[in-house]
Amino acid sequence: AAPLTVAEWAETWKSRQVHQRESSRASIGYKVDGYIVPALGALRLDEVTRADVQAAVIGWQAAGLAPSTVEITYRYLAGMLREAVLDGLIPASPCVKIRLPRDASGPTEVLTVEQVQQIADTISPWARDAVLLGAATGMRPGEWRGLTADRVDLAARSILVDRQIGAT
């Protein structure tokens, strides 16, 4: 059989992401089709080099992608190539010691208790509990939307986070 191109393998790899939520699959598809395939899609899978991958990363950064977007796009590419190794299509992944751009936004400044309380006191009453829960636990919105009473143990001062619900 003729060797696959990166673009051809990308289609197969995307179709295998059945474990991802629909919104995650859409995000994966957007990054694969919008960034990975234009940068590397014409290359044969077995001819992609570490230099090609590094050049793609540099190109994404030069195109103005945020460092976090470059990183997640690279991680999808690395996953694609890791799976190609597992399927015996290539002997090794070229995604080794790739330099990713640093996020220059600086450290996150955590809100003080007083600032959180001010937000909770100012925001619409229906959102107040969400502000306090998020600030107190660090839960993401999808996690607190999936929270039910049976997942809260007040005596043990613990919350079980084992599911999430996407925005509706």
Coordinates of all heavy atoms in Angstrom, one line a residue, residues 62-149:
A62 N 4.2 32.3 14.5 CA 4.4 33.4 13.6 C 3.0 33.9 13.0 O 2.9 35.1 12.7 CB 5.3 33.1 12.4
A63 N 2.1 33.0 12.9 CA 0.8 33.3 12.3 C -0.1 34.0 13.4 O -1.2 34.5 13.1 CB 0.1 32.1 11.8
G64 N 0.4 34.2 14.6 CA -0.3 34.9 15.6 C -1.1 34.0 16.6 O -1.9 34.5 17.4
L65 N -0.9 32.7 16.5 CA -1.7 31.9 17.5 C -1.1 32.1 18.9 O 0.1 32.2 19.1 CB -1.5 30.4 17.1 CG -2.1 29.9 15.8 CD1 -2.0 28.4 15.6 CD2 -3.6 30.4 15.7
A66 N -2.0 32.1 19.9 CA -1.6 32.2 21.3 C -0.7 31.0 21.6 O -0.9 29.9 21.1 CB -2.8 32.3 22.2
P67 N 0.2 31.1 22.6 CA 1.0 30.0 23.0 C 0.2 28.8 23.4 O 0.5 27.7 23.2 CB 1.8 30.6 24.2 CG 2.0 32.0 23.9 CD 0.6 32.4 23.2
S68 N -0.9 29.0 24.1 CA -1.8 27.9 24.5 C -2.4 27.2 23.4 O -2.5 26.0 23.4 CB -2.9 28.4 25.5 OG -3.7 29.4 24.9
T69 N -2.7 27.9 22.3 CA -3.3 27.3 21.1 C -2.2 26.5 20.4 O -2.5 25.4 19.9 CB -3.9 28.4 20.2 OG1 -4.9 29.1 20.9 CG2 -4.5 27.7 18.9
V70 N -1.0 27.1 20.3 CA 0.1 26.3 19.7 C 0.3 25.0 20.4 O 0.5 24.0 19.9 CB 1.4 27.2 19.7 CG1 2.6 26.4 19.2 CG2 1.2 28.4 18.8
E71 N 0.3 25.1 21.8 CA 0.6 23.9 22.6 C -0.5 22.9 22.4 O -0.1 21.7 22.2 CB 0.7 24.3 24.1 CG 0.9 23.1 24.9 CD 1.1 23.4 26.4 OE1 1.0 24.6 26.8 OE2 1.2 22.4 27.2
I72 N -1.7 23.2 22.4 CA -2.8 22.2 22.2 C -2.7 21.6 20.8 O -2.9 20.4 20.6 CB -4.2 22.7 22.6 CG1 -5.2 21.5 22.7 CG2 -4.7 23.7 21.7 CD1 -4.9 20.6 23.9
T73 N -2.5 22.4 19.8 CA -2.4 22.0 18.4 C -1.2 21.0 18.3 O -1.3 19.9 17.7 CB -2.2 23.1 17.5 OG1 -3.3 24.0 17.6 CG2 -2.1 22.7 16.0
Y74 N -0.1 21.3 18.9 CA 1.1 20.4 18.9 C 0.7 19.1 19.6 O 1.1 18.0 19.2 CB 2.3 21.1 19.6 CG 3.4 20.1 19.9 CD1 4.2 19.6 18.9 CD2 3.5 19.6 21.2 CE1 5.1 18.6 19.2 CE2 4.5 18.7 21.5 CZ 5.3 18.2 20.5 OH 6.2 17.2 20.8
R75 N 0.0 19.2 20.7 CA -0.4 18.0 21.5 C -1.3 17.1 20.6 O -1.1 15.8 20.7 CB -1.0 18.3 22.8 CG -0.1 19.1 23.7 CD -0.2 18.8 25.2 NE 0.7 19.5 26.0 CZ 2.0 19.3 26.1 NH1 2.5 18.3 25.4 NH2 2.8 20.0 26.8
Y76 N -2.1 17.7 19.8 CA -3.0 16.8 18.9 C -2.1 16.2 17.9 O -2.2 15.0 17.6 CB -4.0 17.7 18.2 CG -5.1 18.2 19.2 CD1 -5.8 19.4 18.9 CD2 -5.5 17.5 20.3 CE1 -6.8 19.9 19.7 CE2 -6.5 18.0 21.2 CZ -7.1 19.2 20.9 OH -8.1 19.6 21.7
L77 N -1.1 16.9 17.3 CA -0.2 16.4 16.3 C 0.6 15.2 17.0 O 0.8 14.2 16.4 CB 0.7 17.5 15.8 CG 1.9 17.0 14.9 CD1 1.3 16.3 13.6 CD2 2.8 18.2 14.5
A78 N 1.1 15.5 18.2 CA 1.9 14.4 18.8 C 1.1 13.2 19.1 O 1.5 12.1 18.9 CB 2.5 15.0 20.2
G79 N -0.2 13.4 19.4 CA -1.1 12.2 19.6 C -1.4 11.5 18.3 O -1.4 10.2 18.3
M80 N -1.5 12.2 17.2 CA -1.7 11.6 15.9 C -0.5 10.7 15.6 O -0.7 9.6 15.1 CB -1.9 12.7 14.8 CG -3.2 13.3 14.8 SD -3.2 14.7 13.5 CE -2.4 13.9 12.1
L81 N 0.7 11.3 15.8 CA 1.9 10.6 15.4 C 2.2 9.4 16.4 O 2.7 8.4 15.9 CB 3.1 11.5 15.3 CG 2.9 12.6 14.2 CD1 4.0 13.6 14.2 CD2 2.8 11.9 12.8
R82 N 1.8 9.6 17.6 CA 2.0 8.5 18.6 C 1.1 7.3 18.2 O 1.5 6.1 18.3 CB 1.7 9.0 20.0 CG 2.0 8.0 21.1 CD 1.9 8.7 22.5 NE 0.8 9.5 22.7 CZ 0.8 10.9 22.8 NH1 2.0 11.5 22.7 NH2 -0.3 11.6 22.9
E83 N -0.1 7.6 17.8 CA -1.0 6.5 17.3 C -0.5 5.9 16.0 O -0.7 4.7 15.8 CB -2.4 7.1 17.2 CG -3.4 5.9 17.1 CD -4.9 6.4 17.3 OE1 -5.1 7.3 18.1 OE2 -5.8 5.8 16.7
A84 N 0.1 6.7 15.2 CA 0.7 6.1 13.9 C 1.8 5.1 14.3 O 2.0 4.1 13.6 CB 1.2 7.2 13.0
V85 N 2.6 5.4 15.3 CA 3.6 4.5 15.8 C 2.9 3.2 16.3 O 3.3 2.1 16.0 CB 4.5 5.1 16.9 CG1 5.4 4.1 17.6 CG2 5.3 6.3 16.4
L86 N 1.9 3.3 17.1 CA 1.2 2.2 17.7 C 0.6 1.3 16.6 O 0.5 0.1 16.7 CB 0.1 2.6 18.7 CG 0.6 3.3 19.9 CD1 -0.6 3.8 20.7 CD2 1.4 2.3 20.8
D87 N 0.2 1.9 15.5 CA -0.4 1.2 14.4 C 0.6 0.6 13.4 O 0.3 0.0 12.4 CB -1.4 2.0 13.6 CG -2.7 2.2 14.3 OD1 -2.9 1.6 15.5 OD2 -3.7 2.8 13.8
G88 N 1.9 0.9 13.7 CA 3.0 0.4 12.9 C 3.2 1.1 11.6 O 3.8 0.6 10.6
L89 N 2.6 2.4 11.5 CA 2.8 3.1 10.2 C 4.1 3.9 10.2 O 4.6 4.2 9.1 CB 1.6 4.1 10.1 CG 0.2 3.5 10.1 CD1 -0.8 4.6 10.2 CD2 0.1 2.7 8.9
I90 N 4.7 4.2 11.3 CA 6.0 4.9 11.4 C 6.7 4.2 12.6 O 6.1 3.8 13.5 CB 5.9 6.4 11.6 CG1 5.0 6.8 12.8 CG2 5.3 7.0 10.3 CD1 5.0 8.3 13.1
P91 N 8.1 4.2 12.5 CA 8.8 3.5 13.5 C 8.9 4.3 14.8 O 9.0 3.7 15.9 CB 10.2 3.3 12.9 CG 10.3 4.4 11.8 CD 8.9 4.6 11.3
A92 N 8.9 5.6 14.7 CA 9.0 6.5 15.9 C 8.4 7.8 15.6 O 8.3 8.3 14.4 CB 10.5 6.7 16.3
S93 N 7.9 8.5 16.6 CA 7.3 9.8 16.5 C 8.4 10.9 16.4 O 9.4 10.9 17.2 CB 6.4 10.2 17.6 OG 6.0 11.5 17.5
P94 N 8.3 11.8 15.5 CA 9.3 12.9 15.4 C 9.0 14.0 16.5 O 9.7 15.0 16.5 CB 9.1 13.5 14.0 CG 7.7 13.2 13.7 CD 7.4 11.9 14.4
C95 N 8.0 13.9 17.3 CA 7.6 14.8 18.3 C 8.5 14.6 19.5 O 8.0 14.2 20.6 CB 6.1 14.8 18.6 SG 5.1 15.3 17.2
V96 N 9.7 14.9 19.4 CA 10.7 14.7 20.5 C 11.4 16.0 20.8 O 12.0 16.6 19.8 CB 11.7 13.6 20.2 CG1 12.7 13.5 21.3 CG2 11.0 12.3 19.9
K97 N 11.4 16.5 22.0 CA 12.1 17.8 22.4 C 11.7 18.9 21.5 O 12.6 19.7 21.1 CB 13.6 17.5 22.5 CG 13.9 16.6 23.6 CD 15.4 16.5 23.8 CE 15.7 15.6 25.0 NZ 17.0 15.7 25.6
I98 N 10.5 19.1 21.2 CA 10.0 20.2 20.4 C 9.9 21.4 21.3 O 9.3 21.3 22.4 CB 8.6 19.9 19.7 CG1 8.8 18.7 18.7 CG2 8.1 21.1 19.0 CD1 9.8 18.9 17.6
R99 N 10.4 22.5 20.9 CA 10.3 23.7 21.7 C 9.0 24.5 21.4 O 8.8 24.8 20.3 CB 11.5 24.6 21.4 CG 12.8 24.0 21.9 CD 14.0 24.9 21.6 NE 15.3 24.2 21.9 CZ 16.0 23.5 21.1 NH1 15.6 23.3 19.8 NH2 17.1 23.0 21.5
L100 N 8.3 24.7 22.5 CA 7.0 25.4 22.3 C 7.1 26.8 22.8 O 8.0 27.1 23.7 CB 5.9 24.7 23.1 CG 5.6 23.3 22.7 CD1 4.6 22.6 23.6 CD2 5.1 23.2 21.3
P101 N 6.4 27.8 22.3 CA 6.5 29.2 22.8 C 6.0 29.3 24.2 O 5.1 28.5 24.7 CB 5.6 29.9 21.8 CG 4.6 28.9 21.3 CD 5.4 27.6 21.2
R102 N 6.6 30.2 24.9 CA 6.3 30.4 26.3 C 5.1 31.4 26.4 O 5.0 32.3 25.6 CB 7.4 31.0 27.1 CG 8.5 30.0 27.3 CD 9.5 30.5 28.3 NE 10.5 29.5 28.5 CZ 11.6 29.6 29.2 NH1 11.8 30.8 29.8 NH2 12.5 28.6 29.3
D103 N 4.3 31.2 27.4 CA 3.2 32.1 27.6 C 3.7 33.3 28.4 O 4.2 33.2 29.5 CB 2.1 31.4 28.4 CG 0.8 32.3 28.6 OD1 0.9 33.5 28.1 OD2 -0.2 31.8 29.1
A104 N 3.7 34.5 27.8 CA 4.3 35.7 28.4 C 3.3 36.5 29.2 O 3.6 37.6 29.6 CB 4.9 36.6 27.3
S105 N 2.2 35.9 29.4 CA 1.1 36.7 30.1 C 1.4 36.8 31.6 O 0.8 37.6 32.3 CB -0.2 36.0 30.0 OG -0.3 34.7 30.6
G106 N 2.4 36.1 32.1 CA 2.8 36.2 33.5 C 1.9 35.4 34.4 O 1.0 34.7 34.0
P107 N 2.2 35.4 35.7 CA 1.5 34.5 36.6 C 0.1 35.0 36.8 O -0.2 36.2 36.7 CB 2.3 34.6 37.9 CG 3.1 35.9 37.8 CD 3.3 36.1 36.4
T108 N -0.8 34.1 37.2 CA -2.2 34.4 37.5 C -2.3 35.0 38.8 O -1.7 34.5 39.8 CB -3.0 33.1 37.4 OG1 -2.9 32.6 36.1 CG2 -4.5 33.4 37.7
E109 N -3.0 36.1 38.9 CA -3.1 36.8 40.2 C -4.5 36.3 40.8 O -5.5 36.6 40.3 CB -3.2 38.3 40.1 CG -3.1 39.0 41.4 CD -3.0 40.5 41.2 OE1 -2.2 40.9 40.3 OE2 -3.7 41.2 41.9
V110 N -4.4 35.5 41.9 CA -5.6 35.0 42.5 C -6.3 36.0 43.3 O -5.7 36.9 44.0 CB -5.1 33.8 43.5 CG1 -6.3 33.2 44.2 CG2 -4.4 32.8 42.8
L111 N -7.6 36.0 43.2 CA -8.5 37.0 43.9 C -8.4 36.8 45.4 O -8.3 35.6 45.9 CB -9.9 36.8 43.4 CG -10.2 37.1 42.0 CD1 -11.7 36.8 41.7 CD2 -9.9 38.6 41.6
T112 N -8.5 37.8 46.1 CA -8.6 37.7 47.6 C -10.0 37.3 48.0 O -10.9 37.4 47.2 CB -8.2 39.1 48.2 OG1 -9.3 40.0 47.9 CG2 -6.9 39.6 47.8
V113 N -10.1 36.9 49.2 CA -11.5 36.6 49.8 C -12.4 37.8 49.6 O -13.6 37.7 49.3 CB -11.4 36.1 51.2 CG1 -12.7 36.0 51.8 CG2 -10.6 34.8 51.3
E114 N -11.9 39.0 49.9 CA -12.7 40.2 49.9 C -13.1 40.5 48.4 O -14.3 40.9 48.2 CB -11.9 41.4 50.4 CG -11.6 41.3 51.9 CD -10.4 40.4 52.3 OE1 -9.6 40.0 51.4 OE2 -10.4 40.0 53.4
Q115 N -12.2 40.3 47.5 CA -12.6 40.5 46.1 C -13.7 39.5 45.6 O -14.6 39.9 44.9 CB -11.4 40.4 45.2 CG -10.4 41.5 45.3 CD -9.1 41.3 44.6 OE1 -8.6 40.2 44.6 NE2 -8.6 42.3 43.9
V116 N -13.6 38.2 46.0 CA -14.6 37.2 45.7 C -15.9 37.6 46.3 O -17.0 37.6 45.7 CB -14.1 35.8 46.1 CG1 -15.3 34.8 46.0 CG2 -12.9 35.4 45.3
Q117 N -15.9 38.0 47.6 CA -17.1 38.4 48.3 C -17.8 39.6 47.6 O -19.0 39.7 47.4 CB -16.8 38.7 49.7 CG -18.1 38.9 50.6 CD -18.9 37.6 50.6 OE1 -18.4 36.5 50.9 NE2 -20.2 37.6 50.2
Q118 N -16.9 40.6 47.1 CA -17.5 41.7 46.4 C -18.2 41.3 45.1 O -19.3 41.8 44.8 CB -16.4 42.7 46.1 CG -16.9 44.0 45.5 CD -15.7 45.0 45.2 OE1 -14.6 44.7 45.3 NE2 -16.1 46.2 44.9
I119 N -17.6 40.4 44.4 CA -18.2 39.9 43.2 C -19.5 39.2 43.5 O -20.5 39.4 42.9 CB -17.2 38.9 42.4 CG1 -16.0 39.7 41.9 CG2 -18.0 38.2 41.3 CD1 -14.9 38.8 41.4
A120 N -19.5 38.3 44.5 CA -20.7 37.6 44.9 C -21.8 38.5 45.3 O -23.0 38.3 45.1 CB -20.4 36.6 46.0
D121 N -21.4 39.6 46.0 CA -22.4 40.6 46.5 C -23.0 41.5 45.3 O -24.1 42.0 45.5 CB -21.8 41.5 47.6 CG -21.6 40.7 48.8 OD1 -22.1 39.6 49.0 OD2 -20.8 41.2 49.7
T122 N -22.2 41.6 44.3 CA -22.6 42.5 43.2 C -23.3 41.8 42.0 O -24.1 42.4 41.4 CB -21.3 43.2 42.6 OG1 -20.6 43.8 43.7 CG2 -21.6 44.2 41.6
I123 N -22.9 40.5 41.8 CA -23.5 39.8 40.7 C -24.9 39.5 40.8 O -25.5 39.5 41.9 CB -22.6 38.5 40.5 CG1 -22.8 37.9 39.1 CG2 -23.0 37.5 41.5 CD1 -21.7 37.0 38.7
S124 N -25.6 39.1 39.8 CA -27.0 38.7 39.8 C -27.2 37.6 40.9 O -26.4 36.7 40.9 CB -27.5 38.2 38.5 OG -27.4 39.3 37.5
P125 N -28.3 37.7 41.6 CA -28.5 36.7 42.7 C -28.4 35.2 42.2 O -27.9 34.4 42.9 CB -29.9 37.1 43.3 CG -30.0 38.5 43.0 CD -29.3 38.7 41.7
W126 N -28.9 35.0 41.0 CA -28.9 33.6 40.5 C -27.5 33.0 40.3 O -27.3 31.8 40.3 CB -29.8 33.5 39.2 CG -29.2 34.2 38.1 CD1 -29.6 35.5 37.7 CD2 -28.2 33.8 37.1 NE1 -28.8 35.9 36.6 CE2 -28.0 34.9 36.2 CE3 -27.5 32.6 37.0 CZ2 -27.1 34.8 35.2 CZ3 -26.6 32.6 35.9 CH2 -26.4 33.6 35.0
A127 N -26.5 33.9 40.1 CA -25.1 33.4 39.9 C -24.3 33.5 41.1 O -23.1 33.0 41.1 CB -24.5 34.3 38.8
R128 N -24.8 34.0 42.2 CA -24.0 34.2 43.4 C -23.4 32.9 43.9 O -22.2 32.8 44.2 CB -24.8 34.8 44.5 CG -24.0 35.1 45.8 CD -24.9 35.8 46.8 NE -24.2 36.4 47.9 CZ -23.7 35.7 48.9 NH1 -24.0 34.4 49.0 NH2 -23.0 36.3 49.8
D129 N -24.2 31.8 44.0 CA -23.7 30.5 44.5 C -22.6 30.0 43.7 O -21.7 29.3 44.1 CB -24.8 29.5 44.7 CG -25.8 30.0 45.8 OD1 -25.4 30.8 46.7 OD2 -27.0 29.5 45.8
A130 N -22.8 30.2 42.4 CA -21.7 29.6 41.4 C -20.4 30.3 41.6 O -19.3 29.7 41.6 CB -22.2 29.8 40.0
V131 N -20.4 31.6 41.9 CA -19.2 32.4 42.1 C -18.5 31.9 43.4 O -17.3 31.6 43.4 CB -19.5 33.9 42.3 CG1 -18.3 34.7 42.9 CG2 -19.9 34.5 41.0
L132 N -19.3 31.7 44.5 CA -18.7 31.2 45.7 C -18.2 29.8 45.6 O -17.2 29.4 46.1 CB -19.8 31.3 46.8 CG -20.2 32.8 47.2 CD1 -21.3 32.8 48.2 CD2 -19.0 33.6 47.7
L133 N -19.0 28.9 45.0 CA -18.6 27.5 44.8 C -17.3 27.4 44.0 O -16.4 26.7 44.3 CB -19.7 26.7 44.1 CG -19.4 25.2 43.9 CD1 -19.2 24.5 45.2 CD2 -20.5 24.6 43.1
G134 N -17.3 28.2 42.9 CA -16.1 28.1 42.0 C -14.8 28.7 42.7 O -13.8 28.1 42.7
A135 N -15.0 29.8 43.5 CA -13.9 30.3 44.2 C -13.4 29.4 45.3 O -12.2 29.3 45.6 CB -14.2 31.7 44.7
A136 N -14.4 28.8 46.0 CA -14.0 28.0 47.2 C -13.4 26.6 46.8 O -12.6 26.1 47.5 CB -15.2 27.8 48.0
T137 N -13.8 26.1 45.6 CA -13.4 24.7 45.3 C -12.4 24.7 44.1 O -11.7 23.7 43.9 CB -14.6 23.9 44.9 OG1 -15.2 24.4 43.7 CG2 -15.6 23.8 46.0
G138 N -12.4 25.7 43.2 CA -11.6 25.6 42.0 C -12.3 24.8 40.9 O -11.7 24.5 39.9
M139 N -13.5 24.4 41.1 CA -14.3 23.6 40.1 C -14.5 24.5 38.9 O -14.7 25.7 39.0 CB -15.6 23.1 40.7 CG -15.4 22.1 41.8 SD -17.0 21.7 42.6 CE -17.8 20.8 41.3
R140 N -14.4 23.8 37.7 CA -14.8 24.5 36.5 C -16.3 24.5 36.3 O -17.0 23.7 36.9 CB -14.1 23.8 35.3 CG -12.5 23.9 35.4 CD -11.9 23.1 34.4 NE -12.0 21.7 34.7 CZ -11.4 20.7 34.1 NH1 -10.6 21.0 33.0 NH2 -11.5 19.5 34.4
P141 N -16.8 25.4 35.4 CA -18.3 25.5 35.3 C -18.9 24.1 34.9 O -20.0 23.8 35.5 CB -18.4 26.5 34.1 CG -17.3 27.4 34.3 CD -16.1 26.5 34.7
G142 N -18.3 23.4 34.0 CA -18.9 22.1 33.7 C -19.0 21.1 34.9 O -19.9 20.3 35.0
E143 N -18.0 21.2 35.8 CA -18.0 20.4 36.9 C -19.0 20.8 37.9 O -19.7 19.9 38.5 CB -16.6 20.4 37.6 CG -15.5 19.8 36.7 CD -14.1 20.1 37.2 OE1 -13.9 21.0 37.9 OE2 -13.2 19.4 36.7
W144 N -19.2 22.1 38.2 CA -20.2 22.5 39.2 C -21.6 22.3 38.6 O -22.6 22.1 39.3 CB -20.0 23.8 39.9 CG -19.7 25.1 39.1 CD1 -18.5 25.7 39.0 CD2 -20.6 25.9 38.4 NE1 -18.6 26.8 38.3 CE2 -19.9 27.0 37.9 CE3 -22.0 25.8 38.2 CZ2 -20.5 28.0 37.2 CZ3 -22.6 26.8 37.4 CH2 -21.8 27.9 36.9
R145 N -21.8 22.4 37.3 CA -23.1 22.1 36.7 C -23.5 20.6 36.9 O -24.6 20.3 36.9 CB -23.1 22.5 35.2 CG -23.3 24.0 35.0 CD -23.6 24.3 33.5 NE -22.5 24.0 32.6 CZ -21.6 24.8 32.2 NH1 -21.5 26.0 32.7 NH2 -20.6 24.4 31.4
G146 N -22.5 19.8 37.0 CA -22.7 18.3 37.1 C -22.8 17.9 38.6 O -23.0 16.7 38.9
L147 N -22.6 18.8 39.5 CA -22.6 18.5 40.9 C -24.0 18.3 41.5 O -25.0 19.1 41.2 CB -22.0 19.7 41.7 CG -21.8 19.5 43.2 CD1 -20.9 18.3 43.5 CD2 -21.3 20.8 43.8
T148 N -24.2 17.2 42.2 CA -25.5 16.9 42.8 C -25.2 16.6 44.3 O -24.1 16.3 44.7 CB -26.2 15.7 42.2 OG1 -25.2 14.6 42.1 CG2 -26.6 16.0 40.7
A149 N -26.3 16.6 45.1 CA -26.2 16.5 46.6 C -25.4 15.2 47.0 O -24.7 15.2 48.0 CB -27.5 16.5 47.2

